[in-house]
Amino acid sequence: MSSVTLKGNQIETVGELPAVGTQAPAFELVKTDLSLVSLSDYQGAKLVLNIFPSIDTPTCATSVRKFNESAASLKGVNVLCVSADLPFAAARFCGAEGIDHVDTGSSFRSSFGDDYGLTFSTGPLVGLLSRAVVVLDENGKVLHTEQVAEIADEPNYDAALAVLG
């Protein structure tokens, strides 16, 4: 179990992020067109998992925008934005914002949050995902992780992008 805060109030997640150097847990998420996307779909390219509670909050929306900007210039790197939001919310947001360099995946009918240790188990956001960034190499090995200590704060974009070499 891991603890983070929401406006200074402690809340807990169901576990811990996968350790750097380990193989990332496999996953299946739902894309905006309701098809499935899995970790194996990204084999052969580096992958940044931008994970957050809801795209309909300012900090989460900012992280999607910033990773979209970064992804436009990254070769051999994909960015997958993950939340428990319904796929329709991601489609609406990305369409309205012109977001076209990142993929989105909904964990609403998967065990992603539990497998990555990020599902909130206490507090007002129970069932949603904690804000985190996980960077994987071309074979799904974990290169970098960050679970943001205060949910309202943005992740350290520079640290995540620095491991992409």
Side-chain angles (χ1 to χ4, degrees), residues 55-102:
I55 204 157
D56 287 321
T57 62
T59 306
C60 301
T62 297
S63 73
V64 173
R65 288 184 197 105
K66 287 192 176 182
F67 276 118
N68 184 64
E69 290 170 14
S70 299
S73 63
L74 298 172
K75 299 292 182 216
V77 176
N78 292 297
V79 177
L80 178 59
C81 298
V82 182
S83 73
D85 289 321
L86 292 177
F88 314 115
R92 175 190 38 78
F93 175 83
C94 291
E97 295 277 333
I99 304 289
D100 58 0
H101 298 294
V102 300

Side-chain angles (χ1 to χ4, degrees), residues 17-18 23-29 37-40 42 46-52 63-64 67 77-83 102-105 112 115-116 118 129-137 140-148 155-157 160-161 163-164:
L17 282 169
Q23 190 65 32
F27 61 77
E28 272 194 347
L29 301 167
V37 63
S38 67
L39 177 58
S40 63
Y42 294 99
K46 292 181 181 173
L47 178 63
V48 176
L49 297 172
N50 175 33
I51 306 158
F52 48 85
S63 73
V64 173
F67 276 118
V77 176
N78 292 297
V79 177
L80 178 59
C81 298
V82 182
S83 73
V102 300
D103 298 329
T104 60
F112 177 91
D115 296 343
Y116 279 73
L118 293 171
L129 305 178
S130 180
R131 183 178 319 289
V133 176
V134 178
V135 180
L136 309 176
D137 73 6
K141 185 172 124 186
V142 179
L143 299 174
H144 167 82
T145 64
E146 176 193 12
Q147 185 170 22
V148 179
N156 184 338
Y157 304 104
L161 298 173
V163 300
L164 296 170

